[in-house]
Amino acid sequence: MPSRQVVIHTGRELPGIRVAAQAAALVLEQLCGAVRPGVSTLELDQLDGKLIADTGGTSAFHGYLGYPAQTCISLNEEVVHGIGQATRIIVPGDLVSLDVGVQLDGFIGDNARTVCAGIEPTPEQESLLSATREGLAAGIAAAQGGNYVNDISRAVEESVSKNGFGIVRDFVGHGCGTKLHEAPEVPNFAQRARGARLQPGMVLAIEPMVNAGTHRVVVDPIDKWTVRTADGAPSAHFEHMVLITKDNAEILTWPKTV
Ligand code: MF3
Ligand code: CO
């Protein structure tokens, strides 16, 4: 992601971004509902393609830097960017991270969530899921006009590390709206510099990736996409797109229509 001037979206762009964000939220909600034991990750990817088409949009990920699938489906120790496969069958208790990006009329919606397949999560899985959700909530709470990007980063890190988990450093959140990745980057751990000042009209995708073990990750040497924890411990990922306003950030990816 280039580090350039932050993108401020105008009142003319915001309605389109809202619609794309809602489409991404609706698709993610429906896709989470389709996660169950016996389903292959390729079937989920194909369903995602169909659900996105139903919104009138296309996948914002397919073809992005050569990404070959519609959506990112990452199981257990896979952190992000997993690619659906016909032979990868979901079993009860799998942690399934789904990341959905929709492009609609030139605007982008992007959001992610981790769910447990078929059965209740174990206490260990539940604490990983809730730590990641809380990290995202802490980041969103810090995303107020007048604060700086680093206030978000620090808030996520403090929230997650007090729970004793590893926060992934190699992948970050980002501006989003008319392109999938816009300036600024939004790291999930504190930086030396305070970063850009948050201003009304900025749209940020905040997306902590949290590992039950260390923060270290490795990229699959063969598919060049799937990111896994280096120690094999499970990982979770939650992402919302928020609009910076004068006051509290507005979450654009709450599904309103289901
Ligand atoms: N939510 C992720 C991101 O914003 C998904 C990107 S997947 C890619 O970076 F395939 F598009 F790279
Ligand atoms: Co994103």
Side-chain angles (χ1 to χ4, degrees):
M1 266 182 278
S3 61
R4 51 196 145 75
Q5 200 69 22
V6 301
V7 176
I8 308 295
H9 291 287
T10 63
R12 249 162 25 106
E13 291 171 328
L14 288 174
I17 295 172
R18 285 181 190 285
V19 171
Q22 276 301 303
L26 174 66
V27 170
L28 178 60
E29 182 86 0
Q30 291 171 319
L31 201 58
C32 285
V35 169
R36 56 177 187 279
V39 171
S40 76
T41 56
L42 181 63
E43 286 175 283
L44 288 177
D45 191 61
Q46 289 168 340
L47 174 62
D48 177 82
K50 198 181 133 330
L51 294 170
I52 291 177
D54 289 345
T55 71
T58 56
S59 166
F61 300 162
H62 186 250
Y64 182 83
L65 301 175
Y67 186 72
Q70 304 294 318
T71 189
C72 302
I73 306 170
S74 312
L75 305 191
N76 302 315
E77 80 287 356
E78 295 170 352
V79 179
V80 285
H81 302 170
I83 297 166
Q85 288 170 262
T87 51
R88 194 79 195 272
I89 309 297
I90 290 174
V91 300
D94 273 344
L95 282 186
V96 182
S97 295
L98 299 168
D99 190 342
V100 170
V102 175
Q103 179 160 23
L104 186 53
D105 293 334
F107 300 100
I108 306 283
D110 183 16
N111 62 168
R113 194 186 302 172
T114 302
V115 295
C116 186
I119 52 176
E120 289 301 309
T122 64
E124 291 77 17
Q125 287 174 325
E126 182 50 45
S127 67
L128 176 66
L129 293 173
S130 49
T132 314
R133 262 189 236 106
E134 282 166 25
L136 174 56
I140 293 171
Q144 302 187 2
N147 274 359
Y148 292 83
V149 170
N150 201 28
D151 293 314
I152 301 175
S153 302
R154 194 182 327 98
V156 175
E157 180 179 19
E158 277 173 8
S159 169
V160 170
S161 52
K162 81 172 186 303
N163 285 300
F165 293 115
I167 182 88
V168 173
R169 304 168 79 95
D170 294 1
F171 296 88
V172 298
H174 51 95
C176 191
T178 47
K179 295 207 189 97
L180 175 60
H181 292 154
E182 298 175 345
E185 293 192 352
V186 186
N188 295 301
F189 59 101
Q191 309 295 295
R192 239 178 268 253
R194 65 188 181 182
R197 188 169 191 148
L198 303 179
Q199 305 167 52
M202 284 173 74
V203 176
L204 302 178
I206 305 176
E207 50 178 316
M209 292 143 266
V210 175
N211 299 344
T214 76
H215 73 272
R216 289 197 187 76
V217 298
V218 286
V219 178
D220 187 298
I222 295 168
D223 74 22
K224 306 263 197 293
W225 279 103
T226 308
V227 177
R228 295 189 178 82
T229 57
D231 59 9
S235 188
H237 180 207
F238 285 81
E239 174 180 28
H240 270 307
M241 259 169 88
V242 303
L243 170 65
I244 305 300
T245 68
K246 281 213 310 295
D247 311 306
N248 291 333
E250 178 188 340
I251 299 175
L252 301 180
T253 41
W254 275 123
K256 296 195 178 102
T257 41
V258 283

